[in-house]
Each structure stands twice: as structure tokens, then as C-alpha cells.
Amino acid sequence: MKDNEARRTLRLFVGSVVLSGLACLAWAALSFDARESLLLPLIVAGLVVVASTCRVQVNVRAQFIVTPAGAAILVAVAMLPTPWATICVAVGAVVARVLLRQQPHKAAFNASKDTAAATVAGAIFQAVGVPPVASAEAASVPWWTYLLALGAAAVAQAMLDMLAITTVVSLASRTSWRRALAREIDAGAAVRLADLAVAAATIVLYLVNPLLLAATPLAVVVTFLSQRHRTYLREERRAWQSLAASTDALSTSGLDGVIHTAIKGAADLFPDLEIEVELRLGGNLRVVRGGQFGVLYDGDAASAPVATGPTIDIPLGANPGGDEPLGMLRLRFRVEARLTDREQHMLTTFAAGLSTAIRNAAAYAEVSRLADKNAYDATHDALTDLPNRRYLYERTTELLAGPDREQLAMMLLDLDYFKEVNDTLGHDAGDRVLVEVADRLRTAAGNALVARLGGDEFAILFSAIPSSAAAVRRARDVLKSLHRPMDLDGVLISLHTSAGLAIAGDSTDTGELLRRADVAMYQAKDSGRQVALYARARDSADLTRLELAGALPRAVEDNEFTVVFQPIVDLASGKVIAAEALTRWAHPDLGDLPPSTFLGLIERSGLLTPFTEVVLDRALTAAASWRRAGFDLQIAVNVSPRSLADPALPRTVRRALEQYGVPGERLTLELTETAAIGHLDVVTRGAAALRDLDVQIALDDFGTRHSSLSAVFQVPVNELKIDRTFVAELDSSPEAMAVVRSIIELGRSLDHEVVAEGIEEASQRQALWELGCTSGQGSLFGWPPQSSEDLLATLQRGYNDVPGTLAAELHPEAQVVRLPRQGSRVDTEAVDEVDLQAKRR
Ligand code: C2E
Ligand code: CA
Ligand code: CA
């Protein structure tokens, strides 16, 4: 271990110093000449004793001690032959240490060090060839030779002394040797010069009158006592000043600053001691340790290096209430020592200042932590930890003001069927889905900013996008990350999303950029695409859409929805076998609105359940009234697959069937967007529950991208509806013909009913019938769809006075006659949009 090594080296060094002192003494004992008077040696030895016991503490702690012992040694070697000088110094030094009650090993070290120094300094006198001052030959030697010899001896003595002390201090305190030497020179140089001067003066006094030599010890004592007092006063003043400065310096903000300043301040007050501050914060014990040379350790108490030595501990930051103290201020000594009263007082004052500073810093830290947390909470979503709408808004505004604004792209997405996940699997599952989605988006988006806008809506702000094509590519990549199915307690869910993209381009305003991305998202949903880029040309209708969203809750409440019916006809006979309920929104300002304008909004608004109930009620009311009039028609109601995932739907349906007295098998529910539902087995379960009520299930818009073949096998279905786009192209497109043919084949082999939509021409009816399709609907059999009462009247009137028919029989060369148009209303989506725009202006 390092500590042990240093201790061994120290012992070795002290031992060798003692040995060399003994060696010098032995040499002196062998080579001294007898002399007639022992008076002078006795005086010199007394001088050494007095000088060695006159100690002045230069620093607060007894680390740096000044004695005029060096001067006494110089006087000894100048006055006496070297062996005598060596013996006198050895005897004097030992006596002095005994008087001082020094520990034996210290006494031995100090006495040996002085003895050896005397021998070496004496050797220099001999080498220069100067006889002792107190000898007969001395008179013939010029005074400056003495001065020279004394100077050289002083240098040698000082060097030996300093080397010995430096080495011992550095080994004992484990500081670097160089640092210890620097301090020794710094503090000791003046003392060495003073030694030389005192020695020279003493010799001059002796030359003037040998008796004066006896008075020197007295002079030495007086001088050093006054010196000691001056040093004490100076030290006192310095200490108070540095206490004031240290306590002032503590009023920095920040705990680290306070503690590090405290270490420095305490080290100024108590030089040469190790200062330690121990702090208990949040269950951790932190230790900061240092001294005059700065902070040496700052960290966990457990990993701090072992520190030894007696300590004084002052508790810090204890509340008046008597709580556990926040920490401890600790002074560590190298050796057992006591503080003076003044030091004790200073320490208490300083610790009180430190306590206050620590409490303030801790309070300040807590306040700023709270402020940071509030700022964070205000801009982040608690569930997913993603930035929220506000953060996105601020950041986008910032970037839009910057130089790279043109390369920004905003992507908006929401999850399809998220509400169903919540409703069927519970909110915990919903939360887990959101967290997972957030994680995937974050990973996939790289350095782009991902935000949660609320509910199942997310936004991603891309920067440095070179082109709109690049933006679409990035968006697709991000969406891909959501495709991997998610396991929710065994239920595998694959998420479907559509995303809208808007490039910053000329829109400088964050609100506008977000609105455009929003518009694009609905465009994507409507067109069944994954990603849609905002297109200004298609925007104005969407503006209305956003306004409609606001009016929706009122519309549901005030029953602004009406239902009209389109007859479904047996293609061969022209007989009406069913009617499909189609919903309109009788908007008080905008007039009748087609489903395309509001269905999406309803699905996203959470109003889907009450809406579905209203439509079911109207449809079954109509069916019941027709039945009473003798027309037992199948009634077809469109339902969003979202409703199907609603576990309450079967109950609602049963209640409505019972209420209106319509048998379950008379109701057909038409499902669209089956591509999406195919993945959610909850939907399949919902459909199965309806089948238990004998309710029929139809797959709407069959053959289009909304629908998928696999859904036929997953969802229990009774009927397929051929999308009207195929019917429209039947005459002109062989592909459309092939699709229709295969749908009819599929229906036949699965024993499903097949109904064709959008039959506008007699030729289409004919072609479909020839392909094996038995029923269909479309403007050929009457346009537009009528109210329940109007349809009843039409049925009662019948075609060619045959009630319940709308067209002639398809017999060899069948003739189909259109119903007269009612009013002048032309119902196409294009006109709806023009209408809406006109009304907006
Ligand atoms: P859909 O189920 O495919 O309904 C047929 C749509 O085609 C209706 O449009 C109907 O007016 C139109 N149509 C039928 N025959 C012809 C024709 O010969 N020529 C032309 N040009 N159009 C024809 P509508 O009423 O705008 O409904 C659009 C879609 O809205 C419906 O498509 C259906 O998916 C949905 N929808 C309508 N009512 C409801 C409802 O109450 N609930 C739900 N969930 N969806 C509904
Ligand atoms: Ca339909
Ligand atoms: Ca359809």
C-alpha cells in the first residue's frame, strides 16, 4: 500500500539522519583536544539550549516553527574547534529537546540533524583555514575571512536543515517533495538570513568583550519574544481578514460553488490542515476534500480515499427544529493538536456561514429544479414523454423564423381504430399502444422532432428536407416503423395510420403549416393513401370540413341527420327486394351535406356511437313502416367498422330490432374499409356477435383498395357489394369486367349474395345479370335516394302498375324505364363541393 510505503521510507530517512548525527558525534569524541577551560564550551552549549527552546510559531498550526538554533550552531562552529562545536551542539540540542518534552524519535531526529550540521559547518571553517575565534591564532586572520567562512558555513547548515525538514514533511504529509521545499524556502529563507546576522553580531560582541557572550542568550530571548508577539498580532489580523473574506465568498449560488469556496476559505483559515465537507443529499453522502492547494477529491463518500488523522467535526445546516444536519465540516490534523480559543471561535463562525450558504444553495437548487420541471411538464406529454403541441408550436415558429425555413416539413398522423383499442382492450392497453407508438416514431424519426398533439394524434417536424419527394420518402419510412404488429396481452394489433405532409414553402405561420398538414392527413384518409402531400387545389373544401367538425356535437344532439333510402332491385324481375339507408346532414346553413363531408369527422370525434344509433333507429323505423304496408324489404345500413369493434353494438342492434319488430335476418350491415378491420380480431368477434342475432353482414365497395380479399375469410360475411367504379367501366374496360366476373364467382362459391352498385345504364343491368349477378342498385332504378315515405309511395305506385317493382322484367329484350327525376336536385359530390364553396363566400 502507498501509505505503508511512505511510512517505511520516513522511518528509513529519520534513521539515517540519526545515524549520521551519531557518526559525527563519534568522530568528535575521537578527535577532540583537551582544553584548560571548559567555560566557553559550556556557554556555547547553553546558547544552543536557549536558542533551540525559543520557538516562534509562524503559522496558526504548529507546522512552521522558527528557532534561532541555526544562529547558535554557527556561533558554536565559529568559536570552537569543530569536534568541540559538534559535542556542544549535540549536548545542547538534546538538552533542549528534553526540556521541550519532545517525543524521543523527534528529539533524536532534530538533535542528530543539528549535530551533523555543526560538523559540516565546522568542516567548512577548517577547509577555508580559519582558526576558531576563541583561539590565539585568530588575531592574525583578517575579519572578512571570518565573514566569508561564516557565510559558507551558514549556507551549508541551512541547506542540510532544509533538506532534512523538507523530506520529513513531504513524507509525513504525503505532499510532493518539491511543494514542501518551496514552502520551506518561502517561509525559511528570511530566518536563515537572520541566523547569519545574529551569529555575526554575537561573534562581534564576543570580540568586543568575551563577557558579553554570556548576555547573548538573554538578548536572544528578548528579541524572539517581541518577534513572537508581532507575528502573533499579524497572524491574528490576517486570520480575521481571511475569515471575513471566506464567509463573504460563500454567498455564491450553486451548491458546488459554495462547497469548493468553503474548502478554499477554510484552508486559508487553517493552513496545512486537510479540510473536508461532507454532505447528505438525496440519500447520497458526498465528500469534498482539499486544502490550500485546492479541492483534491469530490465525490461519493464510499469511493473517497481513506483519510487518517484526528479530526474536529462541526455539523452543518442543522435546522433549528433539530433535524438531522445536512452535513459536516471537518478539519483533519496530521498529528493530535488543539485549536486555540480564537481558532475555535473562527471555526464556529465560519461553519455558521457555511451552513447558511448550504441551506440557501439547496433551497435555490430545489426552486430551480421545480422551475425546470414545470417548464418541462408544460412542454411535454406525461404519458409518452414526447414534446407536446405547445413545444412543437414554439419550436416550429422558431425554425420558421430561421434561414432554413424552406426545408421544413410538418407531418401529422393519427392512429386508425385507436378508440376501439381503448374501448375493447381498456385504457391501459390504449396507453401502452401510445407509448409504443411514441417510441417507434422517436426511433424512426431520427433527429426530427416528434410531438404528441393529444389523443392518438402525433406530429413530426422534419428539417433539412431538400424536396417534397424527400419529405414523402421520410414520412413513409417513419410509418413503416408502425407496421410491425404489437402484442397486447396476446392480442396482436397492427396499427394503421395515414399521414398528412405539408412543406413550409411560403407558409410562414406555424398555425397555417399545421392546418395544411391536417388537411393533407384527411386527404390521405379519404383517398386511402398512406401519405398525402398538402395540395392547395384541394384545400377549400377542407376548410369547411374543419368548421364542420366544430358543429358536429350540436348536429348529433339536435338530430340534424336524416336518412334517405336507395332501393335494391332483383335484376331479373325489377322487383324491389331491399333498400340501403344513406345518411345526409341537414346542415342549417349549408343545406344537405353528403356523407363524404362528415363521416370522417364523426369517426374521429367520439360521436360515432350515438350517430350509429340514430341511423339504425331511422332505418328500422322505415323498414317497419314498409312491412306494415306489405313490403317486406331487407334493410341495409352502412356501419363503420369502428362501430363493429364497439362491444356495445350488438346490444344496441338487438334493442332496435326488438323495438321496431324487425327480424334480425332482415337487417344487413354494410362494412367498408375492411382492409383495416381484417387485422383486428375484435372486429371479427363483433361481427360474430351480430351474426348470433341473425343480422347479415355485407362487405361494401368490394374489389376496391378499401376492401381486401382476406377479409372475406376472416369476417363472417353473407354478402358482397360490387363497387360502382367497376360497374361504371363494365362496358369499356376488360379489366373491370374480369374483376366483376371473379367477384360473382367468389360469391357463388362462398354462397354469398352479390349486389352491384351504381347501375346507371340498362346495358349495365343486362351485363351484370348475364354474368350471374342477381341484384343491384343505382340511378337506373330511381334517383336520387328518397325519404322513407317517398320510397313507400314509389313502391306502392310500382312500375307499370305492378306495386313493389321499379323496372320491367329482364326478359329476352328487356326494357328499363327510368323513374322521373324528382325536383332539380343533382346529387354528385362535385356539385356538393361547389355548393359548399359558394355558401362559404
Ligand atoms: P356506399 O355504401 O357505397 O353507398 C352508395 C353511394 O353511392 C351513395 O352515396 C349513393 O348515393 C351513391 N350511388 C348509388 N347509386 C349511384 C349511381 O347510380 N350513380 C351515382 N353517381 N351514385 C350512386 P352517398 O349517399 O354519398 O354515400 C357515400 C358513402 O357514405 C356510402 O357509400 C357509405 O359508405 C357511406 N355512408 C352513407 N351513409 C352512411 C351511414 O349512415 N353510416 C356510415 N357508416 N356510412 C354511410
Ligand atoms: Ca353501402
Ligand atoms: Ca359502396
Side-chain angles (χ1 to χ4, degrees), residues 294-307:
V295 170
L296 300 173
Y297 177 82
D298 182 351
D300 214 34
S303 37
V306 185

Side-chain angles (χ1 to χ4, degrees), residues 672-817:
T672 45
E673 292 189 66
T674 45
I677 61 169
H679 297 273
L680 261 178
D681 39 2
V682 278
V683 173
T684 311
R685 261 187 263 142
L690 289 167
R691 277 281 291 269
D692 291 345
L693 299 172
D694 293 334
V695 169
Q696 311 287 294
I697 306 282
L699 289 185
D700 211 344
D701 302 342
F702 199 74
T704 63
R705 57 170 177 267
H706 292 308
S707 178
S708 93
L709 256 184
S710 66
V712 184
F713 302 104
Q714 284 193 31
V715 185
V717 176
N718 312 85
E719 181 183 314
L720 306 179
K721 296 194 77 170
I722 301 174
D723 191 67
R724 72 173 205 250
T725 51
F726 301 117
V727 175
E729 290 174 10
L730 211 49
D731 296 335
S732 56
S733 155
E735 286 85 10
M737 174 71 96
V739 171
V740 170
R741 195 194 307 264
S742 53
I743 293 174
I744 294 168
E745 288 298 316
L746 184 69
R748 191 178 291 148
S749 60
L750 293 176
D751 201 20
H752 293 343
E753 207 67 44
V754 176
V755 178
E757 297 179 322
I759 304 174
E760 298 183 341
E761 309 289 340
S763 60
Q764 294 164 343
R765 175 188 177 194
Q766 180 75 34
L768 284 162
W769 183 72
E770 281 168 9
L771 285 170
C773 177
T774 53
S775 46
Q777 63 193 103
S779 58
L780 179 65
F781 309 108
W783 194 256
Q786 295 172 307
S787 69
S788 149
E789 298 78 20
D790 289 353
L791 182 61
L792 181 58
T794 306
L795 287 171
Q796 282 163 339
R797 216 168 28 239
Y799 177 76
N800 268 353
D801 294 329
V802 185
T805 61
L806 286 177
E809 263 183 275
L810 257 196
H811 238 341
E813 299 273 308
Q815 281 267 312
V816 178
V817 176

Side-chain angles (χ1 to χ4, degrees), residues 254-255 281 358-372:
L255 198 56
L281 287 177
I358 286 178
R359 266 204 303 270
N360 287 348
Y364 179 83
E366 180 59 12
V367 166
S368 54
R369 189 189 64 79
L370 278 179
D372 286 355

